Amino acid sequence: MTEAARVWFILQYFGAEALIVNGGWPAIRGQRKPLAQASGLSGSTTFQARPGAESVGLVDRQTLKADLDGVQLLDARTADVFAGMDLRRNARGGHLPGARSLPHASLLDDDRLKPAGDLRCPSPDSEPAIT
């Protein structure tokens, strides 16, 4: 999951239109027709890299800090990483002050994104995704 997010970010940074396939590679392999045909794409194209931080909303630390007033931050990492118990080879751990935990795993159901309605209104018997 982490590597996929990084690849998506890099593609976006260089100006490529990158789409997320719900279900990942297994969902693609299960298609009866080629991915390009299924997505409505046809023919070949030439890619011209256009690197730009503005295309992905990349900002420096000071700009981010100044723009956080009234913004709700959601941290999609695991609960242990959010709490600072799993450093993942980082010098320090934890989360940004005011951030709420929304582990990415809570958005999935059998390796696929849950339906939008389930994400908006979780069922009464499920735990809230955001802590």
Side-chain angles (χ1 to χ4, degrees), residues 6 19 27 29 36 59 62-63 72 82 87-88 113 116 125:
R6 287 181 179 150
L19 305 173
R29 286 185 35 207
V59 296
Q62 288 73 29
T63 304
Q72 178 61 66
F82 180 83
L87 296 180
R88 304 263 170 123
L113 287 171
D125 57 334

Side-chain angles (χ1 to χ4, degrees), residues 75 77-87 92-96 99-103 131:
D75 191 325
R77 300 172 303 160
T78 66
D80 285 348
V81 174
F82 180 83
M85 297 184 313
D86 181 353
L87 296 180
R92 63 177 187 204
H95 57 276
L96 293 171
R100 295 176 69 189
S101 177
L102 178 62
T131 57

Side-chain angles (χ1 to χ4, degrees), residues 45-115:
T45 185
T46 303
F47 174 70
Q48 181 69 36
R50 298 176 310 280
E54 64 281 349
S55 63
V56 291
L58 193 61
V59 296
D60 60 55
R61 185 180 296 204
Q62 288 73 29
T63 304
L64 176 63
K65 213 173 197 181
D67 289 346
L68 287 180
D69 239 3
V71 172
Q72 178 61 66
L73 292 176
L74 299 175
D75 191 325
R77 300 172 303 160
T78 66
D80 285 348
V81 174
F82 180 83
M85 297 184 313
D86 181 353
L87 296 180
R88 304 263 170 123
R89 298 185 308 261
N90 294 310
R92 63 177 187 204
H95 57 276
L96 293 171
R100 295 176 69 189
S101 177
L102 178 62
H104 70 274
S106 69
L107 307 175
L108 302 174
D109 186 17
D110 293 329
D111 296 327
R112 296 180 81 86
L113 287 171
K114 291 180 180 177

Side-chain angles (χ1 to χ4, degrees), residues 1-14 16 18:
M1 187 70 82
T2 302
E3 290 79 12
R6 287 181 179 150
V7 169
W8 180 86
F9 176 85
I10 291 167
L11 288 170
Q12 294 293 305
Y13 179 83
F14 283 102

